[in-house]
Amino acid sequence: MFVPVAGRFGEVGMQRVILCADDYGLAPGVGESIRELIGKGRLSATSCMTVCPFWPEEAERLKPLADRADIGLHLTLTDHSPLGAMPGLAPSGRLPPLKALMGRAFAGQLDAREVAGEVERQVAAFTAAFGRPPDYIDGHQHVHQLPTVREAVATALARLPGAYVRLCGEPRRAILRRGVSVPKALLISELGGGLAALARAAGIPANDGFRGVYDFSGSIPFGALMPRFLDPPAARPLVMVHPGIPDDALRRADPVVDQRLVEHEYLRGDAFGTLLTARGLRPARFREFTAPRSALRGT
């Protein structure tokens, strides 16, 4: 059971959690949902897909909320068109599904220069549309953790002073105790070891708890999952969510549609506000947890 700790993060009885919505830019309805939730103080981060055609206009709509949440890059290397030519990975102009990408990554069959070039293009597209570099980098379907990709991500972050990386590691005992999509959560967590090592070696800041993995089936009400995702506490916990308002663009782009609305309605509702109050939690940006990168590097 979660017990608020007086003064642990500088506020009596309060702890902080990064509530991060994925897939901003995927479709207008996703952006509308995320902006509303940031405005209500129910989210403190969102990850943006710069490969999507909606990104430039959705970036403009997000700018007024730029100081209310961390705005990061949701690196995309699956199921969409890359921003530049990738003859090795996307010879037809479309990136492969996740299973194929993973197979090639673990077989050492990804072209490091090609992947690094696409990472750079997606960072540049973020900066061009949003007017500043991303606050962090993560990956659509967690691709930023894969071999070859993770090295490109670490290199990109080294050029972004102050930016952090979203790690997907979570203690095994916490995943087992939570009991939600355990095989999937364990796999995602285990895949992140290499990226975590790179981040430590380079002094790249990162979260140290990752929750929010489930199967999107709705078999367990989302309102019953969120209390599990918020417990136990961690020093810098991050909870991933996928809210959205269904529209035709979303239906064309992604198989997860109706469950996004379920998440949206819960996160904006009174029950979630009551849960946060009962747990002594508030959504917070990463910089509220950690020292500047210069302090981590000892410079």
Side-chain angles (χ1 to χ4, degrees), residues 4 20 28 43 82 100 105 118 155 164 177 200 259 267 276 290:
C20 180
L43 293 175
E118 181 63 16
T155 297
Y164 65 96
R177 183 171 78 168
R200 286 193 300 270
Q259 189 63 17
L267 292 170
L276 290 173
T290 188

Side-chain angles (χ1 to χ4, degrees), residues 107 117 130 177 180 215 238 281:
F130 199 64
R177 183 171 78 168
V180 179
D215 62 8
L238 186 149
L281 287 166

Side-chain angles (χ1 to χ4, degrees), residues 216-256:
F216 300 108
S217 70
S219 58
I220 301 174
F222 189 70
L225 291 175
M226 188 56 72
R228 301 193 207 180
F229 294 150
L230 293 175
D231 186 46
R236 290 172 291 194
L238 186 149
V239 178
M240 168 188 66
V241 294
H242 294 81
I245 299 171
D247 56 22
D248 289 342
L250 178 58
R251 293 184 182 94
R252 288 191 299 268
D254 196 79
V256 180

Side-chain angles (χ1 to χ4, degrees), residues 19-24 34 43 45-47 136 239-243:
L19 288 171
C20 180
D22 284 7
D23 301 342
Y24 188 90
I34 291 172
L43 293 175
T46 188
S47 303
Y136 64 93
V239 178
M240 168 188 66
V241 294
H242 294 81

Side-chain angles (χ1 to χ4, degrees), residues 271-283:
F272 185 48
T274 298
L275 175 64
L276 290 173
T277 299
R279 295 291 180 90
L281 287 166
R282 70 172 181 84

